[in-house]
Amino acid sequence: MKRLLVGLMVLFLCLGAFAKPTANDVTVALAAITDSAVCSVAGFLNTPALELQGLELLFREKQTLPYALTFSDSDLGNYLPVFEKTKGPADQSFFASLLRSAKGPLNDIALQYLTVHAWEKGHAILNGVAVTFFGDGVTLSSLMGAAVMKGGVPPIAVAVEVMVSGRRVSEPVYVEGVFLIQSDAEGYFEVKPVELTINGENPLV
C-alpha cells in the first residue's frame, strides 16, 4: 500500500506540476471527488455492498469499516446505473420502502449527486487514493444506525490524492486535500473541503 501511495504521488506530481487548470476544470474535478466520496460511502452501506467500477475498498484485519479506497480508471459514468438498480417501484408500500432504505440508506443521496452533475461515461475518470477517518468507536453497525435513523452520517473525514481526467476537463487535474462528509445543522447532507490543493495550488485562499 505504501509503495502504491508513493508511486501515485510521484506520477501525479510529474503530470500536474506544470499544468494550470481552468476554473471549469477545477469545478469539474471537485464535483467528481465529491460525488465519488459520497457514492463510495453510500455503496459500502448497502447489503451487500455495491460494486462500483474501478473502486476498491481496503480493510484492516478485524475492522468493519474501510481505511482507504483506491481508484483505478474509475469512471463516474458507470456509477449511476448501479445505484439506479437499487430503486424500488414508485408505488411500493411504506414497509417495503423502509426495508429498501435500510439496505442502502444513502442511495437516494448518491443518486441525487450523480444526476445533478449528469455524469456520462468518459466525463470524469479517477485514479488515486482516498484515506477514510470514521472517528473513534464508529463501527459499521453504528454508521448504518445513524444513516437509517437520522438520514445522514456522523462526520467522516476523507483525505484524497486523486487525478481527475476525462472529456469534461481540458487536462488532467490533480486534487490533494481533506473533505468532510457530514449532515449539516439543518440535517442536509454535505461534503465540505477542509484542506485543498489543485495541481499544487490552494484555491481556498
Side-chain angles (χ1 to χ4, degrees), residues 2-42:
K2 186 177 292 185
R3 289 183 179 179
L4 174 63
L5 286 170
V6 172
L8 287 168
M9 288 177 65
V10 172
L11 173 63
F12 294 158
L13 289 174
C14 289
L15 290 174
F18 307 103
K20 181 68 175 180
T22 66
N24 180 70
D25 291 341
V26 172
T27 299
V28 171
L30 292 181
I33 295 293
T34 296
D35 292 4
S36 65
V38 171
C39 290
S40 62
V41 174

Side-chain angles (χ1 to χ4, degrees), residues 110-197:
L111 280 166
Q112 179 181 351
Y113 273 75
L114 292 171
T115 53
V116 162
H117 293 133
W119 298 113
E120 298 178 4
K121 289 185 179 181
H123 276 180
I125 300 170
L126 284 67
N127 284 279
V129 178
V131 178
T132 52
F133 304 91
F134 289 93
D136 294 337
V138 178
T139 64
L140 176 58
S141 296
S142 64
L143 192 64
M144 281 286 287
V148 172
M149 298 301 295
K150 300 178 182 179
V153 294
I156 302 170
V158 182
V160 305
E161 291 185 15
V162 177
M163 184 72 78
V164 180
S165 58
R167 299 199 312 272
R168 285 176 66 170
V169 293
S170 62
E171 60 188 54
V173 181
Y174 172 49
V175 180
E176 182 180 9
V178 178
F179 293 81
L180 195 63
I181 302 175
Q182 62 184 6
S183 299
D184 64 17
E186 287 73 35
Y188 293 103
F189 197 80
E190 67 175 359
V191 181
K192 179 181 179 181
V194 179
E195 300 174 9
L196 192 63
T197 60

Side-chain angles (χ1 to χ4, degrees), residues 1 4 54-58 68-72 74 128-130:
M1 178 64 186
L4 174 63
L55 174 62
E56 181 181 2
L57 305 178
L58 305 178
L69 324 165
T70 62
F71 300 94
S72 179
S74 189
V129 178

